[in-house]
Amino acid sequence: MDIKALVLRMTLEEKASLCSGGDFWHTKAVERLGIPATMVSDGPHGLRKQDQQADHLGVNESIKAVCFPAACATAASFDRDLLARMGQAIGDSCQHEGVSVVLGPAVNIKRSPLCGRNFEYFSEDPYLTGKLAAAYIRGVQSRNVGVSIKHFAANNQEHRRMSSSSDVDERTLREIYFPGFEIPVKEARPWTVMCSYNRLNGVFASENPWLLTDVLRKEWGFDGYVMSDWGAVSDRVAGVAAGLDLEMPASGGVNDRKLVAAVREGRLEESKLDEACERILSIVYRFTESARPDTPWDMEAQHLLSAQIAEECMVLLKNGDGLLPLDKSDAVAFIGEFAERPRYQGGGSSHINSFKTTGALEAARGLNVTYARGYDAAADSADDALIAEAVAAAKAARVAVVFAGLPDSYESEGYDRRHMRLPECQNRLIDAVAGANANTVVVLHNGSPVQMPWIGRVKAVLEAYLGGQAVGLATVRVLFGDANPCGHLPETFPKKLSDNPSYLFYGGEPRGTEYREGVFVGYRYYDKKEMDVLFPFGHGLSYTRFEFSNLRLSADAIRDTDTLAATVTVKNVGPRPGKVAVQLYVGRGEGGDVIRPLRELKGFEKVALDSGEARDVVFTLDKRAFATWNTDMRDWCVESGDYTVEAGASSRDLPVSAAVRVEGTVHPPRHYDMNSIFMDIMADPRGREALEPLMAKIGAMLAPEEEGSSASEAITSDMSMAMMQYMPLRGIVSFGGGGLPDGFLDELLEKING
Ligand code: GLC
């Protein structure tokens, strides 16, 4: 279809009309020109297609579909291929159902454990988020179905989400909150982007030209269309001018008329409207011209795929005495309502109408497993009778497995959590069961970190997260050893909420929330502060063991324009096959001007190894692995210095490291004046060259008085060195006793500034 020619034939009213939804889930048709409507639907971990009453909060029914593990779980796989496979399956369901764009992935960074939608997001780390989201997008779009990567940007809380301003400095945006979008936009080219509800530094994302045009399009090269989150539009005219192409769901024509009036009155260039229409139509026809409604959708097969995916995401947090895996002849008590009716997804727009669910109890049929309900998932208060029944079951079994986690009411789209605790009835149950049976295991279903006051009293903990509709199948396979757990935490579990770096400011005040922790999000904060955590980012145990050795770099010194290869050998030294997420972190040692985290994830690979098998894993590091965002240059900048590359199976289990000297080739422009201090000038080769010849004389001028005088006793050599270093150039005048020739300093500055 010749899109430009088509737009030229459109009237102003038709153009304005195309820039808002035809209804809750469709773009507009333009009958006169044969332009079809296309459907968009949630997302992200399954298809929520509503063909009756529509809503964006998961209230009304949607068609039966397959609920895959949520992003909190799939991120724990650290496995790009797994995300791609899931994306392909969702893409097939969309083709089958005639859905042109699936509204996901959701890539907002987990700034705090309190965010109600954390279950739908990947990680506290931007690199892991971006790389896995890119894989998911490639998977979906391989079926010629689009995605809408969301919510752009800095939508990290549900509290006041439609009005609050996320106040974030640019370096923090660039290094933490943007890469989850930047990496996929550059590597996987999403068909659409969804802007968020919130303001960003005071300007709504839905009308923020810096965000939607300067950064997203001009810098990152995005070439699809931007849609609003549902109801996120404030000023539609400003939105079109800023780069918001499609208002969803619609404004019943109100905003369409405003666009027409704005063009007529010269407040909006019609060319902006043309651009928006071209972008929307390019995606509409990209789908419709190759739609494949005959694509099969085998839900039963996808149910098993969902179980396979869930298996690969489970994180074995603790396994005392090697209690797991269980033997199938063991007498085992399954305790807790989630064993029968697992919590496997979150509330809100991502809520899928699963065509079936398999809980652990059902999956364990035929095994020597008893059941006790233990608690009422909808209640907070403990039920003594249920606990007593559970204790009896625990006493009668060799192993007691408590299925616990967060009830739907504890975390959801639309509101934030108020604390990190499990329901009191569950904590009490776990304590009671652990008191009755030393071999107690806890299986968790939660979308975000929880406190575990009983952690020292239970032998094993398996984090199943929100593992999709077949999570029970996966859990039983892992518990009894048919599958070897290989998930790694995509977020830190802090010991308590107030340890979290955003704790003082999260949720903000009525006007907005300040991201005062800056780049120190998650492990970047806990590591820098040398804090103990409950479980660190990247942590995950296995039923086998892995050893890392021989980390070697392709060079011991590079320029920031080079790439560096880092190779590490990983070996399965345990008794059975297994998979491990090999993680690579980069950090700059002491020194340097830039305040930065100790280490940051810059590579990961999921590796499957048979017992005894070893393999070299190779990572390629480019400039961005060493760079930070320089706000003066407004660009990425590598500070020359010595960097450390570390590899291992967790951010706190990095047995091998290597050093590399990196020479930055681009430096922020340096201009010195009278107030520039000697330390900075002398650190600059050009400045040193100009100052060196004078230093002896200057030092004498600024040196302490003769030995023995009362003044010299007070001034140590360290102090005089410090005074010298931090002295501004004008100090020569103040302490030079007037002996300087006129114009001396001006000439000196000219030399220093070259
Ligand atoms: C919701 C969500 C968004 C979803 C959209 C449509 O409010 O914020 O993620 O895709 O509306 O349901």
Side-chain angles (χ1 to χ4, degrees):
M1 175 60 70
D2 184 339
I3 301 292
K4 282 192 180 299
L6 184 56
V7 172
L8 285 174
R9 294 167 54 203
M10 294 172 74
T11 66
L12 177 57
E13 286 72 10
E14 289 167 338
K15 294 177 195 174
S17 167
L18 190 70
C19 293
S20 63
D23 61 26
F24 221 82
W25 299 118
H26 291 84
T27 61
K28 279 238 184 60
V30 181
E31 308 296 342
R32 183 180 73 86
L33 296 170
I35 294 172
T38 53
M39 188 173 196
V40 302
S41 286
D42 293 307
H45 40 263
L47 179 57
R48 181 174 80 96
K49 176 186 175 185
Q50 292 182 322
D51 42 22
Q52 309 299 330
Q53 188 63 21
D55 74 279
H56 64 307
L57 290 175
V59 174
N60 295 299
E61 272 300 291
S62 52
I63 64 166
K64 289 293 182 186
V66 177
C67 181
F68 288 94
C72 57
T74 53
S77 71
F78 279 65
D79 189 336
R80 298 172 179 81
D81 295 339
L82 188 102
L83 268 295
R85 281 207 324 268
M86 183 171 127
Q88 289 159 2
I90 293 171
D92 286 339
S93 62
C94 289
Q95 275 292 357
H96 182 83
E97 289 295 324
V99 171
S100 68
V101 170
V102 63
L103 303 173
V107 298
N108 295 104
I109 291 297
K110 300 188 178 191
R111 178 181 175 224
S112 164
L114 294 181
C115 177
R117 277 185 99 167
N118 271 346
F119 67 88
E120 208 175 329
Y121 301 151
F122 287 94
S123 175
E124 68 190 28
D125 181 84
Y127 183 85
L128 180 66
T129 298
K131 292 295 185 182
L132 293 180
Y136 169 96
I137 292 169
R138 282 192 291 271
V140 173
Q141 297 188 163
S142 71
R143 286 0 196 208
N144 198 51
V145 169
V147 300
S148 195
I149 185 169
K150 65 189 184 182
H151 307 89
F152 191 52
N155 181 182
N156 306 98
Q157 65 186 54
E158 291 301 286
H159 180 62
R160 295 174 176 269
R161 67 172 178 165
M162 296 186 79
S163 60
S164 177
S165 176
S166 298
D167 295 341
V168 201
D169 65 280
E170 184 169 9
R171 179 186 171 197
T172 300
L173 279 175
R174 295 284 185 167
E175 293 186 21
I176 303 296
Y177 297 99
F178 277 179
F181 296 92
E182 178 189 5
I183 294 169
V185 164
K186 289 179 174 176
E187 294 186 5
R189 302 188 64 195
W191 288 14
T192 81
V193 169
M194 183 189 295
C195 79
S196 58
Y197 283 122
N198 56 282
R199 291 176 168 94
L200 180 62
N201 294 321
V203 179
F204 277 113
S206 61
E207 54 198 64
N208 193 316
W210 176 71
L211 189 68
L212 303 182
T213 296
D214 298 347
V215 174
L216 181 62
R217 292 185 184 280
K218 292 180 179 172
E219 281 189 44
W220 297 348
F222 174 64
D223 60 0
Y225 74 75
V226 178
M227 70 172 82
S228 72
D229 199 342
W230 269 235
V233 168
S234 169
D235 177 336
R236 184 68 190 109
V237 174
V240 171
L244 175 67
D245 306 304
L246 177 65
E247 172 187 22
M248 286 306 281
S251 58
V254 169
N255 281 336
D256 301 353
R257 287 188 290 277
K258 285 184 180 175
L259 290 175
V260 170
V263 171
R264 291 232 163 90
E265 294 158 14
R267 290 180 287 112
L268 176 68
E269 292 292 327
E270 185 160 4
S271 61
K272 283 287 185 184
L273 217 44
D274 295 347
E275 267 180 355
C277 292
E278 287 167 15
R279 291 164 183 162
I280 293 167
L281 292 176
S282 69
I283 299 301
V284 165
Y285 283 101
R286 185 181 299 174
F287 176 73
T288 53
E289 289 178 339
S290 311
R292 296 197 298 276
D294 57 345
T295 301
W297 182 14
D298 182 342
M299 288 200 201
E300 287 294 347
Q302 288 197 357
H303 181 74
L304 296 178
L305 174 62
S306 180
Q308 288 163 13
I309 291 171
E311 255 176 53
E312 305 268 325
C313 301
M314 293 208 171
V315 187
L316 182 58
L317 296 177
K318 178 181 181 183
N319 191 20
D321 299 341
L323 178 62
L324 296 178
L326 307 178
D327 189 297
K328 289 182 179 174
S329 62
D330 280 343
V332 180
F334 277 10
I335 296 167
E337 189 176 310
F338 284 169
E340 187 177 20
R341 285 185 295 281
R343 178 156 177 265
Y344 61 86
Q345 65 173 326
S349 60
S350 69
H351 197 86
I352 306 298
N353 183 4
S354 300
F355 83 99
K356 82 173 178 184
T357 303
T358 306
L361 199 57
E362 179 184 346
R365 279 204 194 119
L367 295 177
N368 186 6
V369 169
T370 58
Y371 172 66
R373 187 179 176 205
Y375 56 80
D376 172 350
D380 255 351
S381 56
D383 179 315
D384 293 341
L386 288 175
I387 289 180
E389 181 193 33
V391 166
K395 280 179 176 164
R398 185 179 94 78
V399 178
V401 182
V402 182
F403 291 74
L406 295 178
D408 277 326
S409 61
Y410 271 55
E411 60 178 348
S412 168
E413 176 177 347
Y415 58 87
D416 288 328
R417 298 166 72 189
R418 294 192 312 278
H419 53 76
M420 266 182 26
R421 298 186 299 276
L422 290 171
E424 189 44 35
C425 58
Q426 293 187 24
N427 283 327
R428 283 223 6 226
L429 172 72
I430 294 167
D431 267 335
V433 169
N437 189 324
N439 293 329
T440 292
V441 179
V442 175
V443 176
L444 288 172
H445 293 299
N446 46 301
S448 196
V450 293
Q451 285 165 277
M452 304 180 199
W454 32 261
I455 188 67
R457 305 189 59 206
V458 303
K459 279 245 179 88
V461 181
L462 180 65
E463 177 58 78
Y465 274 117
L466 302 189
Q469 64 183 51
V471 66
L473 274 173
T475 307
V476 167
R477 281 178 47 80
V478 169
L479 286 174
F480 288 90
D482 292 324
N484 186 355
C486 58
H488 294 253
L489 285 182
E491 60 191 328
T492 306
F493 276 48
K495 283 185 178 290
K496 59 183 187 306
L497 182 63
S498 56
D499 287 350
N500 179 268
S502 71
Y503 177 71
L504 295 180
F505 322 109
Y506 185 79
E509 297 165 344
R511 58 162 302 286
T513 181
E514 295 178 4
Y515 289 45
R516 290 199 206 173
E517 71 280 1
V519 298
F520 294 98
V521 173
Y523 70 89
R524 286 171 166 80
Y525 175 79
Y526 303 118
D527 289 355
K528 188 86 172 181
K529 288 266 289 182
E530 301 174 340
M531 288 175 80
D532 287 338
V533 295
L534 187 56
F535 294 106
F537 174 85
H539 171 74
L541 302 176
S542 170
Y543 294 153
T544 188
R545 289 186 323 284
F546 298 96
E547 273 181 5
F548 294 81
S549 62
N550 196 15
L551 173 61
R552 60 269 193 203
L553 305 179
S554 54
D556 52 19
I558 60 168
R559 294 159 63 87
D560 63 9
T561 47
D562 303 326
T563 56
L564 180 75
T567 307
V568 62
T569 304
V570 55
K571 183 174 184 179
N572 180 343
V573 295
R576 56 178 291 171
K579 293 183 180 180
V580 61
V582 181
Q583 300 155 51
L584 194 82
Y585 295 82
V586 172
R588 173 176 170 140
E590 286 312 307
D593 292 337
V594 179
I595 296 173
R596 56 196 295 169
L598 280 185
R599 61 178 62 82
E600 298 177 278
L601 183 75
K602 297 297 180 184
F604 63 91
E605 283 300 332
K606 196 70 173 280
V607 177
L609 294 170
D610 287 333
S611 176
E613 182 185 2
R615 186 178 309 161
D616 281 353
V617 182
V618 184
F619 299 92
T620 301
L621 298 174
D622 62 9
K623 173 175 181 176
R624 286 285 290 272
F626 303 96
T628 56
W629 179 265
N630 183 291
T631 43
D632 296 330
M633 293 166 54
R634 303 204 62 239
D635 196 356
W636 296 98
C637 179
V638 174
E639 199 177 21
S640 301
D642 298 322
Y643 288 78
T644 303
V645 179
E646 300 170 292
S650 148
S651 62
R652 299 240 172 139
D653 173 17
L654 298 168
V656 288
S657 65
V660 58
R661 171 85 190 161
V662 184
E663 199 56 45
T665 57
V666 178
H667 299 290
R670 282 205 175 113
H671 184 79
Y672 302 101
D673 60 28
M674 296 297 183
N675 294 310
S676 303
I677 62 173
F678 280 93
M679 180 168 70
D680 293 337
I681 299 171
M682 292 297 280
D684 179 335
R686 205 179 51 204
R688 177 190 295 278
E689 188 184 338
L691 263 186
E692 201 103 73
L694 304 167
M695 284 315 284
K697 186 187 297 185
I698 294 170
M701 277 194 286
L702 304 176
E705 291 176 20
E706 283 309 306
E707 282 303 310
S709 73
S710 58
S712 68
E713 282 158 14
I715 294 181
T716 65
S717 61
D718 287 349
M719 189 185 286
S720 63
M721 175 54 80
M723 280 173 61
M724 178 74 179
Q725 281 187 331
Y726 299 137
M727 177 72 70
L729 212 51
R730 58 179 152 76
I732 299 175
V733 177
S734 319
F735 299 97
L740 288 175
D742 289 349
F744 169 82
L745 270 187
D746 294 331
E747 285 173 30
L748 178 58
L749 268 173
E750 276 180 30
K751 277 185 195 164
I752 290 169
N753 285 319

